[in-house]
Amino acid sequence: MLLSLIALSLCLASVPAAAQRLPSTVTPLRYSLWFAPDLERETFRGRESIDGTLAAPSTSITLHAAEITFGEATIEDGGGSQPARVSLDATAETATLTVARAIARGPATIRLTYTGILNDKLRGFYLSKANGRKYAVSQMEATDARRAFPSFDEPAYKATFAITLMIDAADNAISNGRQVSDSPGPEPGKHTIVFAPTPKMSTYLVALLVGDFVCRSGAAGATPIRICATPDKQGLTAFALSAAEHQVAFFNRYFGIPYPYEKLDIIGVPDFAAGAMENAGAITFREQVLLADEATASVEVRKLVASVISHELAHQWFGNLVTMKWWDDIWLNEGFATWAANKPLAAWKPEWKMDVKAAAETQIALNLDALRTTRAIHTQVETSAQINEVFDPIAYEKTAGVLGMIEAYVGPEAFRKGVSSYLAKYALGNAAGEDFWTEVTRVAEKPVNRIMKSFVDQPGAPVLSVQTRCIGGNTEVSLRQERLVGAPGPATAAAAQTWTLPVCVKTASGSATCTMVTAREQTIRAPGCGAAMVNADARGYYYTEYEPAAVAALAARRPPLTPAERLSLLGDEWRMVRSGRHDVGTYLDLAAAFARDETPSVVAEMAGRLGEVGGDIASASQREAWHTWVRATFRPALDAIGLTGGLGDSDDTNSRRGTLLKLLSGDAEVQTHARDLALAYMARPASLSPTLVAPVLQVAAAGGDAALYDQFVARMTASSAAPEEYYRYFNALASFRDPALIARTQQFAVSPDVRSQDAGMLLTQLLSSSATQESTWALVKTEWPAIVARLGTFQGVPAIVYGLGAFCSAERAAEIKTFFDAHPVPESARLLQQSLERIATCTAVKARQAPAFGRWLQAR
Ligand SMILES: [Zn+2]
């Protein structure tokens, strides 16, 4: 699954551990599932048989079921068939079937009829609406298959699934298997579609889609591929198809195992909580990350679409073919898919520079991992709430960063062989994290297991404090490691943690040399002298702390650092500011040295941090001097490429131009210019490069009036069939600064005019800016019961809890804590702790850095 449009994590629940694990008496082997959705009444009927085996005689069988109303229930074994009495446990989400005569050890068949609801909560078998009609679609991961069919809903219970759907005559259906028959009836006005049984797989990978989907067909080798969407978006499927065709062919070669299913469908769903879901052979997507017209899509959307498809395709092998035994190893699924997603794209579109993207993804994890309230990659989970919680940047980006570090250490081919060997060994089965690293260790013949254990079992990450000396043409690098806790203040006991990790050093005149670091203090030797980068190619998952003079030397180094290294250095230096180890001036001087950097994500990284300096560290009386410095430092970079540019400019140039326009949006000339460009774009879309549209609309909105707002709303409403265009305006609404317009956006965010999948995203944006956060928080408090009911605690509410972490005042932190004490959200308990820590860190940073910032500004 890919959750994050906004980086999300979820919760820590107080439900008794193990409350929801099933007894291990029954092993399911084969499900036969028949569904008859009633779109009009928003319900469905189900008929099910489960063939399995009992390990011991028993008079009862317990399986998962939630919001299911049971009809007939029988259990058949060698002694014949007998009716079962059904008792439900709503808290544990289970049903227990009890029979009079003990079921014998060995084979047995459970037969059930039942009804369920097509809910509006975007989980299980649920309802989606578009174009004046209803769709029945599904999202089973992590623990919602039980809402669609009673089942042994744990990943280790792999079985085959033979699925049949009886649907309205005019509708079509998609499921995991290839369609084997389509016949009229048997009920009037219906037809029945039978799908081929799946290979063995987990319940969370079942997919059911009913509606009027239209598909574009292609293939990769023997695998037929279709990209499907609602009819109005039929024209937006070609780019996704070409990406999928390329990527399936790539992964077939990379894994050395052919794509494991008979066909591949990828479907855009109008209402979808996550980003996308890797259901075996029937991948579902939020429309925004699948449906794009290559000719008019920004480079950001093209990259997003291709990389989410790639992530979900990697799961077909890693996750679907071989599945974690239990959800405590979800990091293995998600971290691997995050890491692997970049592989085919690097081959397909080298100009996208996937090494820089990987370095940017690692930054997301390193930021979270500097919190005391972070978690270890491997975390025990038992309840549904706890399971949903661990789909966070630790599972995704941290694991991907650690895997990338190990790949760099053992070499790409040895790593690939280890992965392929692991997949072959556990194909169609389940494995734990240790099984993965044992296999890579064996194949690569290097102590990968020691590195993995050190990073998987311990929370946080090491900061390497670096001192270098040039001796006889070599560099002696003295390293000291401890856990980085990213707030000013005394060291904690956690700082005593140490890690086993490969550290690669690249001096100005030498090539990279790598050493395994195991001790708290260790000295390593690298060939050559000159400023030494102690995270060569940014492939290591750790923080570096250089002397301030060494930071300046690295910025000025010739040959220069690579783009990924510059990104990593900027990230690390910002965390030195956040942790109080360095004065903010060291960071700002580094940013000035990189002001004309040509790599868009390097500029974007700086722009985000400069926003925090202006918003959280600069006082009201310092703002003007601050903006003067930002203008003087970055306006020449924008002038050098031009405010508008030609339509023939490269994607990188336009992407960088967009970031610089936003960074300089306080500049009156930039503001006027953006407004002119926005008006011209609305009159004639071809007048503006697609990559510039979103930033131009946002900058125009920041100075925009009610007339412009009305135009944006009209354009947004008219763009329902073009997701990228819709979200350009949708996101820009959060940038208007006129108080009356802020209020309109806030009311819009909690109105039924916004899909529940999008409301959390908009509220998070409003909570993230100091201009809109106070009034948005007031609204959230007032509207809380309605917000919880509409957005749900699975996706929307966590987005709000995350957004609240952008406050920077002890008073607000106390108020937020009090509010959630009174209105607890078990699914977001850890996330709330992390947001409160982010606020506390921000207030401590403000106190620590304000005097240093004043001195630095004075000296400019
Ligand atoms: Zn995933």
Side-chain angles (χ1 to χ4, degrees):
M1 181 157 53
L2 193 77
L3 276 184
S4 48
L5 292 179
I6 304 157
L8 286 186
S9 89
L10 309 155
C11 79
L12 189 68
S14 56
V15 184
Q20 287 166 279
R21 295 293 284 270
L22 295 174
S24 56
T25 336
V26 183
T27 306
L29 300 171
R30 179 175 194 276
Y31 288 79
S32 288
L33 301 171
W34 176 91
F35 297 94
D38 184 336
L39 296 175
E40 189 58 40
R41 292 199 174 79
E42 305 182 0
T43 59
F44 63 93
R45 287 174 287 151
R47 257 195 339 249
E48 173 177 25
S49 73
I50 310 171
D51 298 329
T53 56
L54 264 71
S58 175
T59 53
S60 71
I61 291 175
T62 298
L63 71 177
H64 286 112
E67 297 178 333
I68 294 282
T69 304
F70 282 80
E72 292 167 23
T74 60
I75 300 178
E76 186 182 320
D77 65 355
S81 177
Q82 52 179 332
R85 187 167 51 81
V86 182
S87 58
L88 301 174
D89 181 336
T91 309
E93 301 181 335
T94 57
T96 298
L97 314 177
T98 307
V99 289
R101 167 179 61 76
I103 313 151
R105 182 170 174 275
T109 299
I110 302 165
R111 290 201 172 82
L112 304 168
T113 63
Y114 61 94
T115 58
I117 48 170
L118 295 172
N119 67 69
D120 62 354
K121 298 288 181 269
L122 316 187
R123 61 198 298 199
F125 200 11
Y126 70 90
L127 206 67
S128 178
K129 295 177 187 170
N131 309 320
R133 65 155 295 159
K134 295 172 181 172
Y135 295 79
V137 296
S138 66
Q139 167 63 36
M140 308 305 192
E141 194 178 23
T143 60
D144 290 321
R146 63 194 65 171
R147 291 171 204 279
F149 57 100
S151 50
F152 299 86
D153 193 13
E154 296 179 4
Y157 290 123
K158 283 188 153 182
T160 63
F161 294 83
I163 295 172
T164 301
L165 282 155
M166 184 181 76
I167 58 173
D168 291 344
D171 282 349
N172 56 43
I174 300 170
S175 184
N176 306 90
R178 163 179 61 82
Q179 183 175 314
V180 292
S181 71
D182 179 355
S183 42
E187 293 179 11
K190 305 284 182 184
H191 65 140
T192 296
I193 298 178
V194 177
F195 296 94
T198 66
K200 271 180 74 179
M201 66 178 205
S202 306
T203 45
Y204 77 89
L205 295 169
V206 167
L208 308 165
L209 297 107
V210 178
D212 57 356
F213 295 103
V214 180
C215 306
R216 180 186 299 265
S217 299
T223 305
I225 302 178
R226 298 190 302 171
I227 310 292
C228 307
T230 58
D232 55 321
K233 303 186 183 79
Q234 195 180 354
L236 299 175
T237 49
F239 178 66
L241 181 61
S242 65
E245 286 175 336
H246 177 271
Q247 292 165 9
V248 170
F250 180 93
F251 281 134
N252 280 337
R253 288 191 303 273
Y254 184 83
F255 292 126
I257 296 171
Y259 171 78
Y261 306 103
E262 284 186 297
K263 57 86 178 172
L264 170 63
D265 288 328
I266 301 180
I267 310 102
V269 176
D271 297 278
F272 198 76
M277 176 64 211
E278 69 266 22
N279 313 304
I283 303 172
T284 42
F285 266 71
R286 190 180 269 249
E287 292 178 333
Q288 188 184 0
V289 289
L290 180 69
L291 304 173
D293 177 356
E294 186 165 15
T296 60
S298 65
V299 65
E300 278 77 17
V301 164
R302 278 176 276 138
K303 282 183 189 172
L304 182 66
V305 168
S307 66
V308 179
I309 292 173
S310 190
H311 176 108
E312 306 307 329
L313 285 176
H315 274 312
Q316 303 301 309
W317 287 262
F318 218 99
N320 297 6
L321 180 64
V322 180
T323 312
M324 71 270 150
K325 285 182 177 155
W326 180 244
W327 297 107
D328 58 342
D329 277 329
I330 187 61
W331 60 273
L332 198 56
N333 264 19
E334 296 303 352
F336 188 88
T338 303
W339 169 84
N342 294 337
K343 285 265 162 205
L345 302 192
W348 191 44
K349 302 274 183 190
E351 69 275 20
W352 287 355
K353 303 182 183 79
M354 301 314 289
D355 61 323
V356 184
K357 179 166 180 283
E361 286 166 350
T362 300
Q363 294 301 314
I364 295 170
L366 286 169
N367 287 331
L368 174 55
D369 238 2
L371 298 181
R372 286 185 177 83
T373 49
T374 187
R375 66 176 183 90
I377 286 178
H378 183 264
T379 300
Q380 290 291 338
V381 289
E382 295 296 338
T383 65
S384 292
Q386 290 170 344
I387 291 164
N388 283 327
E389 160 200 28
V390 289
F391 289 82
D392 67 359
I394 297 302
Y396 288 72
E397 284 84 5
K398 178 173 183 180
T399 304
V402 171
L403 292 174
M405 174 168 71
I406 286 169
E407 185 197 27
Y409 167 63
V410 302
E413 184 54 19
F415 190 73
R416 190 196 67 76
K417 282 185 179 152
V419 168
S420 178
S421 172
Y422 161 81
L423 289 173
K425 186 169 176 180
Y426 296 99
L428 297 174
N430 295 80
E434 198 173 348
D435 298 323
F436 171 71
W437 71 63
T438 300
E439 202 56 22
V440 178
T441 303
R442 186 185 69 74
V443 173
E445 298 178 334
K446 288 198 172 175
V448 169
N449 49 354
R450 283 165 52 205
I451 305 168
M452 286 293 287
K453 274 188 76 64
S454 142
F455 278 87
V456 167
D457 292 340
Q458 302 191 90
V463 54
L464 303 181
S465 302
V466 178
Q467 288 189 318
T468 58
R469 285 197 305 167
C470 178
I471 303 173
N474 291 317
T475 302
E476 194 181 273
V477 184
S478 305
L479 299 175
R480 183 178 192 285
Q481 62 159 314
E482 63 180 357
R483 178 170 166 190
L484 180 73
V485 178
T492 62
Q497 286 176 218
T498 59
W499 281 258
T500 296
L501 70 164
V503 172
C504 299
V505 177
K506 199 159 78 184
T507 59
S509 57
S511 55
T513 178
C514 303
T515 308
M516 189 79 102
V517 168
T518 54
R520 173 165 302 284
E521 294 188 19
Q522 199 163 326
T523 299
I524 60 183
R525 186 169 284 239
C529 284
M533 175 72 190
V534 186
N535 190 349
D537 298 324
R539 295 298 296 273
Y541 189 85
Y542 49 86
Y543 312 96
T544 50
E545 178 188 25
Y546 301 97
E547 303 279 341
V551 173
L554 279 167
R557 197 178 94 167
R558 291 292 172 271
L561 302 180
T562 66
E565 289 170 344
R566 299 198 293 276
L567 192 67
S568 165
L569 179 64
L570 280 163
D572 282 352
E573 196 45 40
W574 179 249
R575 286 177 288 262
M576 293 308 111
V577 172
R578 295 273 292 179
S579 62
R581 289 167 184 248
H582 285 180
D583 284 353
V584 68
T586 314
Y587 181 84
L588 296 172
D589 291 340
L590 180 64
F594 289 157
R596 286 174 182 254
D597 204 291
E598 291 184 359
T599 303
S601 47
V602 170
V603 182
E605 165 73 25
M606 286 189 285
R609 300 321 182 185
L610 297 175
E612 290 182 55
V613 173
D616 297 334
I617 297 177
S619 67
S621 63
Q622 291 168 328
R623 294 254 155 79
E624 203 183 319
W626 165 248
H627 288 306
T628 302
W629 180 81
V630 171
R631 262 196 303 274
T633 309
F634 288 92
R635 183 65 201 260
L638 180 58
D639 289 338
I641 52 175
L643 270 68
T644 313
L647 288 168
D649 279 351
S650 71
D651 285 338
D652 273 7
T653 299
N654 278 323
S655 189
R656 187 158 65 98
R657 179 180 286 125
T659 302
L660 288 168
L661 285 171
K662 285 195 283 182
L663 176 62
L664 296 162
S665 63
D667 182 321
E669 193 194 346
V670 168
Q671 184 64 245
T672 309
H673 184 68
R675 187 187 168 88
D676 292 346
L677 289 178
L679 294 172
Y681 172 72
M682 288 189 285
R684 199 171 67 84
S687 65
L688 193 58
S689 151
T691 297
L692 274 177
V693 178
V696 158
L697 296 182
Q698 283 171 39
V699 176
D705 54 12
L708 192 71
Y709 192 97
D710 289 338
Q711 278 181 285
F712 279 19
V713 170
R715 292 281 164 166
M716 177 182 74
T717 311
S719 305
S720 64
E724 181 175 13
E725 184 73 349
Y726 176 89
Y727 288 104
R728 282 166 171 159
Y729 291 105
F730 177 89
N731 289 322
L733 294 184
S735 296
F736 282 89
R737 288 293 171 262
D738 178 297
L741 301 177
I742 292 172
R744 279 178 71 181
T745 305
Q746 289 164 337
Q747 289 305 325
F748 171 64
V750 296
S751 78
D753 296 336
V754 174
R755 288 185 185 273
S756 66
Q757 66 170 8
D758 295 333
M761 206 158 66
L762 188 52
L763 288 167
T764 302
Q765 287 189 62
L766 291 165
L767 287 167
S768 299
S769 165
S770 56
T772 48
Q773 61 185 179
E774 290 290 349
S775 52
T776 305
W777 171 226
L779 176 80
V780 165
K781 283 186 288 187
T782 315
E783 297 285 323
W784 187 248
I787 287 175
V788 173
R790 215 169 89 74
L791 274 60
T793 50
F794 175 56
Q795 180 251 350
V797 166
I800 293 171
V801 174
Y802 173 81
L804 289 168
F807 273 108
C808 193
S809 105
E811 199 185 331
R812 284 291 165 272
E815 192 187 304
I816 290 164
K817 184 175 181 311
T818 304
F819 180 83
F820 285 102
D821 283 347
H823 305 90
V825 182
E827 295 87 346
S828 291
R830 181 186 289 127
L831 186 58
L832 176 64
Q833 294 310 313
Q834 292 173 347
S835 284
L836 292 173
E837 187 181 345
R838 283 166 54 214
I839 301 173
T841 301
C842 185
T843 57
V845 169
K846 195 195 304 199
R848 157 71 177 81
Q849 296 292 351
F853 179 67
R855 287 194 301 274
W856 178 86
L857 206 54
Q858 201 73 48
R860 299 278 91 56

